[in-house]
Amino acid sequence: MKTNVLLTGRGNNTLKDKNILDVLGKPVMYYIANACKKATTTDNLYCSSDDDNILSIAEQLGYIPIKRPLELALPSAQHVDCILHGLKIMEDNNDLPDILVVALANNITIKSNWVDDCVKMMQNDMSISCVIPVYK
């Protein structure tokens, strides 16, 4: 069963360069990108963005870059449309997953074992359409 990661981040929207701001010596997006990369249940790693800096950092971390078209880079663009665009690129590359992990580039609190736990829940019951980790 194939599980791909789609890391999503928009450039210069609300807080300039929020996804690449330095936090403890690493860009914000490093933390979630690294957690998803370290997860044992994920196969291929993709990053969708309109921002070349985000795509460059993601590529350095082992992610396949997906450059968003202009209409998906506008403040009015919906996240679901960016996800569907990413899935279309995966499909075009004959890499459509059974499970898709959508990771927001500005989330620094996700751990790799949380990703694994969520993926395993879906693998065990494919009638589940979505799992969201919540920290208590």
Side-chain angles (χ1 to χ4, degrees):
M1 189 170 296
K2 185 187 298 185
T3 301
N4 288 351
V5 173
L6 182 62
L7 177 66
T8 63
R10 185 183 295 174
N12 298 327
N13 189 23
T14 51
L15 174 61
K16 183 172 173 43
D17 295 331
K18 71 178 176 184
N19 297 310
I20 59 174
L21 290 175
D22 184 277
V23 174
L24 300 174
K26 305 281 185 193
V28 166
M29 63 180 282
Y30 166 84
Y31 297 96
I32 191 157
N34 197 45
C36 290
K37 184 176 181 176
K38 284 184 173 181
T40 60
T41 55
T42 59
D43 296 304
N44 298 314
L45 309 167
Y46 290 85
C47 179
S48 167
S49 183
D50 60 306
D51 186 280
D52 290 333
N53 291 323
I54 291 172
L55 292 173
S56 176
I57 291 168
E59 195 167 19
Q60 291 171 29
L61 295 171
Y63 282 70
I64 300 164
I66 299 174
K67 181 75 172 194
R68 292 184 193 167
L70 181 59
E71 65 271 12
L72 296 180
L74 301 172
S76 59
Q78 298 295 306
H79 193 227
V80 67
D81 295 325
C82 298
I83 295 168
L84 292 172
H85 175 258
L87 283 168
K88 176 70 172 120
I89 298 297
M90 290 178 206
E91 181 179 41
D92 291 347
N93 290 330
N94 202 26
D95 194 26
L96 200 58
D98 300 294
I99 297 173
L100 181 67
V101 174
V102 177
L104 305 180
N106 62 353
N107 186 340
I108 61 173
T109 60
I110 296 293
K111 298 178 181 183
S112 58
N113 63 308
W114 295 357
V115 173
D116 286 333
D117 289 347
C118 290
V119 170
K120 287 174 186 174
M121 287 174 80
M122 293 191 78
Q123 288 173 335
N124 291 332
D125 183 356
M126 288 301 287
S127 70
I128 297 173
S129 63
C130 178
V131 178
I132 301 171
V134 178
Y135 178 76
K136 290 184 180 182

